[in-house]
């Protein structure tokens, strides 16, 4: 199947999940994490290369290799919280939801590119 699907073989057949579906799910889960302020955009050449122009606006990149999903998320966090704790909550929430919805495990890389101040 095309590169934009995650394919899982079961004893009953094949399950194909669009990466866009996973992206929407990740976006919804991350948006609910306490301390999350919004999705960021790549600021370093390495992140720009990783995310590419199309995906950069979403702040989410998903890859599938060897039955493992790797998710990179670019975020801004709220000032006042521990950046590492917010990132850990994002990782935990995404991993739990993805395993619950797809039955697959994931590696979640969180890239914090900004801090939001209360107005």
């Amino acid at each position: 199947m095309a590169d934009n699907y995650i394919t899982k073989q079961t004893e009953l057949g094949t399950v194909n999940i669009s990466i866009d579906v996973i992206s929407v799910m990740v976006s919804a889960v991350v948006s609910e994490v306490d301390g999350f302020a919004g999705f960021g955009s790549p600021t370093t050449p390495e992140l720009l290369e990783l995310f590419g122009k199309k995906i950069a606006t979403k702040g989410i990149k998903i890859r599938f290799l060897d039955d493992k999903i790797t998710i990179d998320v670019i975020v801004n966090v709220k000032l006042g919280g521990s950046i590492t704790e917010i990132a850990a909550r994002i990782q935990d929430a995404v991993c739990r939801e993805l395993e619950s919805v797809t039955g697959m495990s994931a590696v979640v890389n969180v890239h914090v590119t900004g801090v939001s101040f209360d107005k």
Side-chain angles (χ1 to χ4, degrees), residues 37-87:
F39 288 99
S41 60
T43 57
T44 65
E46 294 82 13
L47 285 178
L48 284 170
E49 184 178 319
L50 172 68
F51 278 76
K53 188 172 182 171
K54 179 183 172 201
I55 302 295
T57 56
K58 292 183 181 181
I60 299 170
K61 169 84 176 192
I62 300 168
R63 292 166 304 201
F64 184 66
L65 182 64
D66 298 329
D67 290 336
K68 180 85 75 170
I69 301 170
T70 301
I71 301 170
D72 286 276
V73 183
I74 298 177
V75 298
N76 295 324
V77 297
K78 293 179 182 174
L79 181 66
S82 166
I83 292 173
T84 56
E85 287 178 15
I86 296 167

Side-chain angles (χ1 to χ4, degrees), residues 8 64 66-71 95 98-99 102-108:
K8 181 171 180 163
F64 184 66
D66 298 329
D67 290 336
K68 180 85 75 170
I69 301 170
T70 301
I71 301 170
C95 287
L98 192 65
E99 189 161 338
T102 68
M104 295 184 231
S105 59
V107 172
V108 179

